[in-house]
Amino acid sequence: EVRREPRILEAVERIVAKLERGELNAVGCVGFFDHFTHAAACPNATTEPCDVTHWIRVNRELFLATGKAHYLDTLEFAFYNAFLAGVYRDGKWGAHSVRSHGTRHRTAPHQVGMAYHQCCIDNMPRTFVDICETVLSRGKDGALSVNLYGDARGTCGADAVRITGGYPFGNVVKVVVDHAVGQSLVSGAPRADVVRFRNPAWFDGLTLNGKPVTGEWAEAPLAPGENVFRLEFRRSPRLVDSTVLPGADARAGEFERANENPEMKGLARTAPAARLFYGPLLLAKAKRLGVTRTEIFDFKSVDGRGFACTLKPLKASGVDGAWTAEFAKGGETFSVKVCDFASAADADDPENLFSIWF
């Protein structure tokens, strides 16, 4: 296959690595709305869902070709953040460009005179299929591989797998593998009596059936019949300062697009700020949580100031996950409500307010 031709594979891996260094934008895709202009350092991130679809696809193919867990981390970050934030929660439409902050994203325009057609919208179902087909795979040695942990039910060859636990919001995942000894139905390869579990880079630690996991993968034997595995993740919030790259600029006008969205006028940032992560989730301040406009947009950034952050679970309706973020440095403290970025921003509402910047 082309993806396993060594020279081609090396070239693609090097291109992806270069994009990650300079163009991995703040919401998890690459580029600034289709342009490679030092997006990793831009304080105004905006990314097209079409780009997210193909970024996810290239990382999926690289994982299948190399077995490297890093590509699954990259894929997962893009899916839970840049992608899901652009799929509107009513399921009827989506974004043409996902913004890091503002009142709403640029909504996908109908194309070529068709009321139900736009390239980003057309690509969204493909991404959902790609994610589903990435959950399980089989290694060259025949071992079953569990790659993603969102609730799922599926088969890989003759192995039937069920995953529950509410990942990425829950910290305990149950995986049940119904295993039968025999030949794999995947490429005719022999099926080993082994299952591997990815250890995502987002967490402080992982235990498999109570035993600590080291390295990118955990391995366990499979017996005939039902096998039950419990994966428990430990996580803490990660406050990440801005990236500095020579030649990067704010691209304020291109970000606001005030001719299309007048309510965005003046909301572009001119200075960098920090971001807050919890596992693979990018967190955001949101009007949906009752956070004020001043807290969302007009704040003194903690970027580069050495603050620490803790999260306390928060009950909130209308979002998938919510916390109170408490920031502290010496005697200086403050707190603000936060939720997952997708929940904060997945609607076409000019009255909405959200921001990933702190």
Side-chain angles (χ1 to χ4, degrees), residues 294-318:
T294 297
E295 289 176 307
I296 294 173
F297 298 131
D298 303 322
F299 58 91
K300 183 178 180 181
S301 175
V302 298
D303 186 56
R305 297 175 59 201
F307 272 80
C309 180
T310 58
L311 294 176
K312 293 185 177 179
L314 177 68
K315 290 185 178 180
S317 61

Side-chain angles (χ1 to χ4, degrees), residues 16-355:
V16 166
K18 182 176 179 62
L19 290 175
E20 284 184 320
R21 286 194 300 271
E23 297 295 341
L24 187 62
N25 62 42
V27 296
C29 191
V30 287
F32 183 99
F33 193 52
D34 272 345
H35 294 81
F36 294 150
T37 55
H38 306 297
C42 186
N44 301 294
T46 181
T47 196
E48 189 173 3
C50 278
D51 296 343
V52 185
T53 289
H54 294 295
W55 182 239
I56 285 174
R57 296 194 87 191
V58 72
N59 279 279
R60 165 181 158 79
E61 291 299 322
L62 284 174
F63 163 69
L64 293 175
T66 68
K68 296 176 183 177
H70 170 75
Y71 295 120
L72 293 173
D73 291 336
T74 303
L75 172 154
E76 183 176 68
F77 180 46
F79 175 70
Y80 283 121
N81 300 296
F83 179 75
L84 287 181
V87 181
Y88 293 157
R89 61 177 55 200
D90 62 9
K92 296 179 180 179
W93 205 245
H96 183 41
S97 183
V98 172
R99 288 182 168 114
S100 56
H101 61 283
T103 63
R104 59 178 172 180
H105 305 310
R106 290 182 66 195
T107 294
H110 299 97
Q111 290 178 325
V112 295
M114 299 176 69
Y116 301 103
H117 164 76
Q118 204 274 336
C119 58
C120 290
I121 308 303
D122 294 347
N123 272 320
M124 287 173 179
R126 176 186 294 179
T127 297
F128 283 115
V129 171
D130 286 339
I131 293 298
C132 290
E133 292 184 341
T134 306
V135 173
L136 305 173
S137 64
R138 198 168 295 281
K140 295 178 182 179
D141 60 356
L144 176 67
S145 179
V146 180
N147 307 315
L148 302 175
Y149 296 114
D151 289 4
R153 182 186 298 265
T155 60
C156 189
D159 289 330
V161 181
R162 300 189 306 277
I163 305 172
T164 56
Y167 184 94
F169 299 94
N171 290 325
V172 178
V173 171
K174 180 181 177 181
V175 180
V176 179
V177 181
D178 191 359
H179 178 67
V181 177
Q183 290 293 112
S184 168
L185 299 181
V186 180
S187 304
R191 186 171 66 251
D193 298 325
V194 170
V195 60
R196 295 192 183 99
F197 298 94
R198 165 177 158 253
N199 184 7
W202 318 112
F203 298 99
D204 302 326
L206 168 65
T207 60
L208 174 60
N209 287 348
K211 296 181 179 179
V213 172
T214 58
E216 293 183 338
W217 298 92
E219 187 173 294
L222 285 173
E226 186 175 276
N227 299 259
V228 180
F229 303 95
R230 175 187 170 93
L231 294 92
E232 187 166 354
F233 301 96
R234 290 187 296 104
R235 70 175 98 187
S236 55
R238 309 187 315 278
L239 192 59
V240 178
D241 290 335
S242 60
T243 300
V244 178
L245 289 173
D249 58 44
R251 304 198 72 182
E254 293 93 332
F255 175 78
E256 290 178 0
R257 294 276 178 163
N259 58 323
E260 296 177 21
N261 302 132
E263 65 277 4
M264 283 293 299
K265 182 70 174 178
L267 292 185
R269 289 190 58 81
T270 57
R275 291 174 296 159
L276 183 60
F277 298 89
Y278 195 50
L281 296 170
L282 176 62
L283 302 187
K285 296 169 287 185
K287 181 180 178 181
R288 285 176 176 160
L289 295 175
V291 184
T292 68
R293 185 183 184 94
T294 297
E295 289 176 307
I296 294 173
F297 298 131
D298 303 322
F299 58 91
K300 183 178 180 181
S301 175
V302 298
D303 186 56
R305 297 175 59 201
F307 272 80
C309 180
T310 58
L311 294 176
K312 293 185 177 179
L314 177 68
K315 290 185 178 180
S317 61
V319 298
D320 290 328
W323 301 265
T324 298
E326 298 181 345
F327 296 83
K329 178 188 176 184
E332 185 178 356
T333 62
F334 68 95
S335 64
V336 65
K337 296 176 183 178
V338 298
C339 65
D340 59 295
F341 172 53
S343 290
D346 62 351
D348 182 25
D349 180 4
E351 298 299 318
N352 194 26
L353 303 174
F354 64 91
S355 177

